[in-house]
Amino acid sequence: MSDAEKKEKQDFVKAQWAEHNGFASWSFNETTCIFDAPIPKPEDGNNYAWRESDLSWVLIPTPPQGAGWDFNIETGTWVKP
């Protein structure tokens, strides 16, 4: 891949990140062409979501039974809309 092609790909990824309101705290890695969190995601087999308000990974617990639950990232809980 030429330098111009690399730059084009990087610019595309950055534009997509901005268009989809990517997290401001994450940094672009020019080698991998992805955005990296400021701290690595835990690798313990659980599901996590990034919470930008305090720059942390939040454990996503198993959802309650039944349909219609939403996960509230700020409180770390499942809620009925």
Side-chain angles (χ1 to χ4, degrees), residues 63-71 78-81:
Q65 292 206 357
W69 291 91
D70 289 330
F71 185 70
W78 289 98
V79 295
K80 274 285 197 180

Side-chain angles (χ1 to χ4, degrees), residues 3 7 10 15 20 38-39 46 50-51 54 58 64 69 75 78:
D3 287 344
K7 174 128 178 46
Q10 291 171 346
H20 297 286
I39 56 173
N46 291 309
W50 180 254
R51 182 167 53 202
D54 65 358
V58 176
W69 291 91
T75 64
W78 289 98

Side-chain angles (χ1 to χ4, degrees), residues 50-72:
W50 180 254
R51 182 167 53 202
E52 186 72 4
S53 63
D54 65 358
L55 306 179
S56 68
W57 290 103
V58 176
L59 176 66
I60 301 175
T62 303
Q65 292 206 357
W69 291 91
D70 289 330
F71 185 70
N72 181 316

Side-chain angles (χ1 to χ4, degrees), residues 9-52:
K9 182 177 180 180
Q10 291 171 346
D11 289 346
F12 174 79
V13 171
K14 290 176 184 178
Q16 290 294 303
W17 186 261
E19 183 179 321
H20 297 286
N21 299 315
F23 302 115
S25 66
W26 291 35
S27 58
F28 184 72
N29 182 322
E30 291 187 1
T31 303
T32 60
C33 202
I34 62 170
F35 280 82
D36 294 325
I39 56 173
K41 183 176 169 182
E43 294 186 20
D44 59 7
N46 291 309
N47 292 321
Y48 291 87
W50 180 254
R51 182 167 53 202
E52 186 72 4

